[in-house]
Amino acid sequence: MSETKLPLLLIGGGGHCRSCIDVIETEGRFRIVGIVEANGAAITDSTGYPVVGYDADLPQLLEQTPHCLITVGHVKSAGIRRRLQQRLDGLGAIFPAIVSPYAYVSPTAQIGAGCIVMHHALVNAYARIGEHCIINSKVLVEHDSRIEQHVHLATGSIINGNVEVGAGCLIGSGAVVKQGCRIAAGAIVGAGALILNSLSQAETYTGVCK
C-alpha cells in the first residue's frame, strides 16, 4: 500500500510535528519520508521518522520530494512559519492540505494549501481557511467565518459565525470569539479568553474583552 502514497517531507520537528504525524498517518494519503530540521538544530526527541536533512539541504530534498508540510509550531508569532513558507515557495514546494478523517469540513467550506485540520475539528458551512493555518483538535469554525493565512486556532477554540481572523493570529485554547467580530492581523488571544467585540490592534488579549 505505501507505494501508492505520495511521499511527504515534514519541515520542522518537535511537539507540533508529532501531532501532525498522527493526523497524516490517520488520513493515509501520504508516506512520510522524514523530517527536515533547522541548520544546527540539536536532535533531542524521536518522532519515529528520520531527520533526512537540514534547511541548507532543502533544494536537493525538494527535487526528490516536492510535497511538504510545515510542522514547526506557532512559536510566539507566525514569523518562523511564514519565512519557511516563503523560502519553500521559491524552491517550488507543493503544499497539500491535510484533514483528519475524524474532523468534519463542510463541502461548502474552503481549506487553503498547507493547512492541517486536526482530530475532531469542525469547519462549518461556507467558512474559508487561508493557507498554512493550524486548525487544532476540537476547534469549531462556524458558518461564513474567514480565517486568513498563518493563523493558529489552538485546541478547543470556538470561532462563531461571520468572524474574520487576520493573518498570523493565535487564538488560544478554549478561547471564544463572538459572532461578527473582526480580529486584527497578528493579534494573540489568550487561552480561555472571551472576545465580545472586534480587536483592532496586534496586541495580546486575555480575559473578557467587551
Side-chain angles (χ1 to χ4, degrees):
M1 289 292 293
S2 62
E3 290 79 5
T4 66
K5 297 179 181 180
L6 282 171
L8 182 72
L9 282 174
L10 305 184
I11 313 300
H16 179 62
C17 180
R18 290 194 290 274
S19 294
C20 290
I21 287 169
D22 189 68
V23 176
I24 294 162
E25 291 178 337
T26 305
E27 188 196 36
R29 285 190 299 143
F30 294 94
R31 173 177 58 85
I32 298 171
V33 173
I35 297 164
V36 182
E37 277 285 14
N39 294 330
I43 310 304
T44 58
D45 61 350
S46 174
T47 61
Y49 290 95
V51 173
V52 294
Y54 295 86
D55 286 352
D57 305 311
L58 280 170
Q60 296 80 14
L61 291 168
L62 288 169
E63 283 185 9
Q64 300 171 353
T65 308
H67 288 84
C68 63
L69 182 71
I70 297 171
T71 49
V72 174
H74 191 120
V75 182
K76 295 184 180 179
S77 77
I80 294 173
R81 290 175 57 85
R82 187 179 287 114
R83 288 191 294 273
L84 281 169
Q85 175 248 312
Q86 291 169 348
R87 183 170 184 218
L88 292 163
D89 276 342
L91 294 171
I94 300 170
F95 297 105
I98 307 291
V99 178
S100 166
Y102 301 120
Y104 175 76
V105 175
S106 168
T108 61
Q110 299 176 11
I111 305 294
C115 288
I116 186 161
V117 181
M118 306 188 89
H119 300 320
H120 302 291
L122 170 57
V123 181
N124 226 326
Y126 296 98
R128 290 185 288 171
I129 310 295
E131 295 182 351
H132 302 285
C133 289
I134 302 168
I135 310 301
N136 221 314
S137 304
K138 297 189 176 181
V139 163
L140 169 61
V141 180
E142 260 298 353
H143 65 88
D144 300 295
S145 285
R146 179 171 180 170
I147 311 301
E148 298 289 351
Q149 65 181 0
H150 290 292
V151 167
H152 181 188
L153 303 182
T155 50
S157 55
I158 296 175
I159 307 298
N160 281 294
N162 197 33
V163 165
E164 292 184 10
V165 179
C169 286
L170 169 63
I171 309 297
S173 294
V176 177
V177 181
K178 182 185 175 183
Q179 66 270 17
C181 288
R182 306 292 180 261
I183 309 298
I188 296 174
V189 174
L194 177 59
I195 306 302
L196 300 176
N197 276 303
S198 296
L199 307 177
S200 60
Q201 302 295 323
E203 298 175 357
T204 298
Y205 300 87
T206 59
V208 178
C209 298
K210 297 181 179 181

